[in-house]
Amino acid sequence: MASEEELFASVDALLEEEPQLPPPAERARLREAAGITQARLAVALKTSTQTVKNYENGRSEPKSPRLEAYQRLLKGWAAKYPAHTSPAAPAPVLAPQPGVPGTFTGSAAPEQAEVAAPVQAPAALAAPERPARSATSRRPAAKKAAAPAVDPRFPHGPLAVLDGDGSAYGAGGIVLDCPATTIPELVEWTLLESGLGAAKLNRYGKDSDPLIVLTAAAAVKLGLPERLEGHEQRRSLRLPEDHPVVKQVTKTKWQLTQRGFGPWARIYRKAQGLDRQCVQLAVLSWDALDERSWPGVSEMEPADIARVLGVYAMRVITPRGSTAVSGLELMTALRPPTKAVRDEETGNWVSGYNVGSLGTEPLDPAPPEATPEHPVVVNSGWTGGFLNEEAYQWVRDVDTLSDEECTLPFAVGLDLNTAFLAAAARLVVGLSAPDHFHTPKFNPKIPGSWLADLSHIELDTRLPSPFTPDGTRPTGAAWYQTHTLAYAQELGHDVHPIEAYLRRETGAYLDPWHDRLKNAYVDTLADMGVTKDLNDVEFLAAMEQHKQNDPALAAVLTAIKATVKGGVGKLRERPQGKSYKEGETWPALSRPTWRPDIRAAVISKARVNMHRKLNNMVKMTGLYPLAVLSDCVVYPSPGESPLDFLPYAASGKPQPGGFRLGPTPGLAKLEGVQSMLWAVDLMETGLNPARHIKGGDAVLDEGE
């Protein structure tokens, strides 16, 4: 059976077979270059001025025979008035090196992605009042407190939560009347009457499919079981193919993806012209919203669930599954693999590569970047070792504690806000397949994997080694990502790689992903009362109560953080299921976004960032950490507050280079406080105080 990705690729291929027009902005440019008004063009095409406006802002597309006439006109204008393309920013010139050709492309500076401006919808953030019903079906009433319509095609926002009485609660406090009593009727209503959906995040991307979230009562009313039963993993549960609802779907000529009808189901028909026909369903009582990523959301009232998911959809993306899946989908939505390009021979607009994206074809990783079960490894018999770029899990040896440290009363935990997101900023990664080199000269500007021996480097044992996740000193040659070796150079050590797998085409692929998630994180915190203008004392006080101020926004914030870590983890998704055999492919490998090298780059940079701060703290304060776990570090302290040991200048401002408090990615917040005696007891038994410093036997998620 075809995979979900293959089905959508087939649909997209059908779209590409349609007569191609240039992008909407180019249509407007060509008309203006010819000195023709929209009204005059409307007369020539025998249509209205508003229709021409819609053609030029992407809201609608012409149908045959007007399509061919419009295409002919634009083709003629394009020949007369070619676009003036500005020269691309020059790639860094890399000096020729032994074993490494100087033909790498890409810039170490982040390029600007063509991303739609973030949508502001203040009404979606306010706690829902008693909403009025929309006059879309049975009970006519005026709409009230609706979020401003950002796209006339989707006046009611990206999603709705359907209850058992036919009320569909949308973002911004609206309620729609849904008369559907079967799943096919629900899909038809969603596409034709609901006004749900969301505009694309990039001019070359696709609009988001509308999402309908089903409460338990709604699921039962539509013929679904209240719970999905089975002994398999939750993610693999689905309705059997002979279930009456599945038969209803297929009988009415709708299709399910290979994922089937599970907690997240996608129902579609092949596209007609340029219009996608697809609706996504999420069944709450089937655990569609994981409690770890969406705390308390499944137990909320439908209007509150719509508010939580609506804010997330407007600031991040319409959920497409788990937060990890949504994190990965966001990368592609912001960096679509293709765009319309003009074929110089035929003059037609065809699908072409979108520069800066990962393209449409999956790439095999280099053997050391793969996982041991990967076909590249198994089929080649690779025995040369693997990259081990993971987050820190380090506990200091209690024998290195001084008497002065042991007499300090408190252990204070600091947590870096979305450390992986901070590491993704301005991160240059490979966009092409890896090439193999022997004894190359190290170049910190080239992303890749390098085999080198760092075991000779002497470092203070009161700090974790920056080269290994467990903080121990390397024992011989090992594979490292570029950032790890670059940091060894930064510390003053020579680096002499033995071999390397490097990529010629590079770019800051994750920049738009970073920017959108950073804005979502900072804006959501600000709505909870934690703003950038607070001083450190005010920041700590605001963080103590921010979750109590608004539990719904607290859930959004947790989901944003889970989107970051889960999205990075998905770049190296492992095979699932007991039936998998080593050396076989698994579904994730068919994605262009299966990129373990990019995951390694993010984690390597995050770990290096952490060590740099640890090192600077020693220089500024003489303090050494007790333990580190991913983005959490524990320090001995004379008081219960980070203010008692963080470095400040005489002016009262935080010293740059160390840990600093604040609400933006990469800055720190208080994770928890315990007694120093408690921390030492854990350290003596080999447990990590950073894992438990928050209390309640807390465990941090390391990202995959």
Side-chain angles (χ1 to χ4, degrees):
M1 183 179 291
S3 69
E4 174 186 323
E5 289 79 9
E6 289 170 339
L7 289 169
F8 276 93
S10 298
V11 169
D12 292 339
L14 286 175
L15 292 181
E16 291 168 12
E17 290 175 11
E18 295 289 322
Q20 295 290 317
L21 292 172
E26 175 67 4
R27 302 170 200 174
R29 185 196 72 78
L30 290 171
R31 176 185 54 74
E32 290 167 358
I36 302 298
T37 65
Q38 289 177 325
R40 188 174 170 193
L41 176 57
V43 171
L45 292 177
K46 301 192 184 314
T47 187
S48 67
T49 303
Q50 183 58 51
T51 299
V52 170
K53 289 180 180 178
N54 290 344
Y55 294 165
E56 293 185 358
N57 61 27
R59 289 177 184 165
S60 68
E61 297 289 337
K63 299 288 190 292
S64 189
R66 188 172 289 117
L67 170 61
E68 289 76 14
Y70 191 30
Q71 182 187 40
R72 181 179 180 185
L73 177 63
L74 293 174
K75 202 180 293 185
W77 281 343
K80 282 186 178 182
Y81 313 108
H84 296 289
T85 54
S86 56
V93 179
L94 307 183
Q97 306 164 9
V100 181
T103 55
F104 287 77
T105 63
S107 173
E111 70 275 14
Q112 289 293 322
E114 298 183 71
V115 181
V119 172
Q120 296 298 326
L125 306 182
E129 303 172 7
R130 186 177 182 83
R133 297 184 178 273
S134 172
T136 58
S137 74
R138 295 175 298 181
R139 287 164 272 185
K143 214 165 40 176
K144 181 180 176 183
V150 295
D151 190 310
R153 297 172 301 159
F154 311 119
H156 297 141
L159 54 86
V161 180
L162 183 63
D163 208 353
D165 64 356
S167 299
Y169 297 82
I174 65 170
V175 181
L176 310 176
D177 283 323
C178 175
T181 57
T182 66
I183 291 294
E185 288 177 2
L186 175 61
V187 172
E188 297 276 2
W189 173 84
T190 303
L191 291 173
L192 300 177
E193 298 182 48
S194 72
L196 296 173
K200 55 195 174 187
L201 297 180
N202 182 288
R203 62 183 295 192
Y204 301 126
K206 299 179 178 68
D207 295 333
S208 289
D209 299 321
L211 168 64
I212 301 293
V213 180
L214 303 179
T215 63
V220 171
K221 177 182 175 181
L222 294 167
L224 299 170
E226 184 173 343
R227 303 287 307 178
L228 266 185
E229 303 297 339
H231 301 291
E232 302 173 79
Q233 291 181 313
R234 182 185 63 83
R235 73 179 76 191
S236 61
L237 290 178
R238 63 191 69 182
L239 290 180
E241 292 186 7
D242 60 354
H243 190 278
V245 169
V246 176
K247 289 183 175 180
Q248 282 178 352
V249 170
T250 55
K251 185 177 180 180
T252 50
K253 307 301 182 185
W254 290 98
Q255 298 182 54
L256 289 162
T257 62
Q258 190 179 15
R259 192 190 304 180
F261 207 125
W264 290 88
R266 197 171 297 156
I267 301 175
Y268 72 98
R269 278 180 184 155
K270 289 187 177 182
Q272 302 296 316
L274 295 175
D275 295 325
R276 233 169 118 92
Q277 296 187 87
C278 183
V279 173
Q280 185 157 282
L281 304 179
V283 188
L284 290 176
S285 58
W286 296 1
D287 299 324
L289 298 180
D290 191 315
E291 178 69 18
R292 294 168 298 179
S293 301
W294 301 97
V297 176
S298 292
E299 304 305 316
M300 292 180 180
E301 292 298 316
D304 294 314
I305 297 173
R307 178 177 173 236
V308 171
L309 298 180
V311 173
Y312 179 89
M314 290 173 187
R315 290 187 170 168
V316 182
I317 193 173
T318 304
R320 296 283 302 273
S322 68
T323 48
V325 168
S326 296
L328 201 66
E329 292 284 348
L330 181 63
M331 294 180 195
T332 304
L334 293 168
R335 292 276 199 192
T338 61
K339 66 177 182 178
V341 296
R342 194 162 178 269
D343 186 324
E344 295 302 327
E345 291 186 8
T346 65
N348 291 331
W349 289 86
V350 297
S351 179
Y353 172 62
N354 185 22
V355 177
S357 75
L358 297 182
T360 58
E361 296 299 321
L363 299 176
D364 278 339
E369 296 166 349
T371 56
E373 67 270 20
H374 194 286
V376 162
V377 174
V378 175
N379 295 339
S380 67
W382 173 261
T383 57
F386 299 94
L387 271 178
N388 188 24
E389 298 288 9
E390 302 294 340
Y392 268 133
Q393 296 193 49
W394 171 81
V395 180
R396 187 170 153 195
D397 188 336
V398 291
D399 293 337
T400 65
L401 293 173
S402 67
D403 292 340
E404 184 181 2
E405 287 175 312
C406 290
T407 57
L408 291 172
F410 297 104
V412 176
L414 291 176
D415 180 68
L416 294 182
N417 302 322
T418 56
F420 287 173
L421 187 60
R426 300 179 297 281
L427 176 68
V428 176
V429 299
L431 301 178
S432 55
D435 289 316
H436 191 198
F437 302 97
H438 291 279
T439 61
K441 181 179 178 182
F442 179 65
N443 187 324
K445 293 184 178 179
I446 302 177
S449 304
W450 311 74
L451 180 64
D453 190 344
L454 304 180
S455 61
H456 63 284
I457 298 177
E458 291 277 357
L459 294 172
D460 194 319
T461 56
R462 291 172 291 182
L463 289 177
S465 166
F467 311 128
T468 60
D470 63 4
T472 58
R473 182 174 174 174
T475 56
W479 288 95
Y480 300 101
Q481 203 275 333
T482 297
H483 282 87
T484 304
L485 282 195
Y487 188 58
Q489 271 194 345
E490 182 182 322
L491 294 174
H493 303 286
D494 289 334
V495 174
H496 301 288
I498 302 164
E499 60 179 304
Y501 286 90
L502 310 176
R503 287 168 169 79
R504 298 177 184 275
E505 295 175 23
T506 67
Y509 171 72
L510 292 174
D511 260 12
W513 185 80
H514 162 271
D515 293 348
R516 187 164 176 86
L517 285 167
K518 175 185 176 182
N519 289 336
Y521 181 83
V522 171
D523 291 348
T524 305
L525 261 183
D527 288 335
M528 301 167 75
V530 186
T531 55
K532 295 179 183 179
D533 59 348
L534 301 177
N535 63 37
D536 285 359
V537 174
E538 293 167 336
F539 169 73
L540 290 172
M543 287 299 292
E544 271 190 41
Q545 59 179 3
H546 75 292
K547 291 186 178 180
Q548 287 72 42
N549 289 345
D550 193 328
L553 286 181
V556 175
L557 193 69
T558 300
I560 292 169
K561 292 188 285 187
T563 302
V564 173
K565 283 195 172 181
V568 172
K570 275 278 185 182
L571 291 168
R572 197 192 67 170
E573 184 177 357
R574 306 290 286 268
Q576 310 291 335
K578 295 179 181 178
S579 61
Y580 175 77
K581 294 181 181 178
E582 194 173 80
E584 294 178 347
T585 61
W586 58 94
L589 299 188
S590 64
R591 297 191 316 247
T593 48
W594 197 86
R595 289 296 300 272
D597 56 302
I598 296 179
R599 174 187 178 274
V602 172
I603 297 176
S604 167
K605 186 178 173 185
R607 199 182 66 246
V608 163
N609 286 348
M610 172 66 84
H611 192 276
R612 188 181 289 112
K613 293 180 189 296
L614 298 174
N615 217 17
N616 288 338
M617 284 286 288
V618 173
K619 295 173 184 176
M620 290 187 282
T621 68
L623 283 178
Y624 291 87
L626 301 177
V628 184
L629 179 69
S630 189
D631 45 14
C632 179
V633 57
V634 178
Y635 274 102
S637 172
E640 296 183 79
S641 169
L643 303 176
D644 295 316
F645 65 89
L646 289 179
Y648 290 86
S651 64
K653 292 185 177 180
Q655 291 277 28
F659 294 98
R660 297 172 56 190
L661 300 175
T664 55
L667 298 187
K669 60 182 180 291
L670 176 63
E671 180 71 8
V673 182
Q674 302 287 346
S675 72
M676 183 66 178
L677 182 60
W678 168 91
V680 173
D681 284 345
L682 284 183
M683 294 164 70
E684 286 180 335
T685 57
L687 297 177
N688 192 323
R691 187 180 294 275
H692 307 281
I693 190 75
K694 196 171 186 176
D697 217 18
V699 176
L700 298 182
D701 177 13
E702 280 86 50
E704 187 180 7

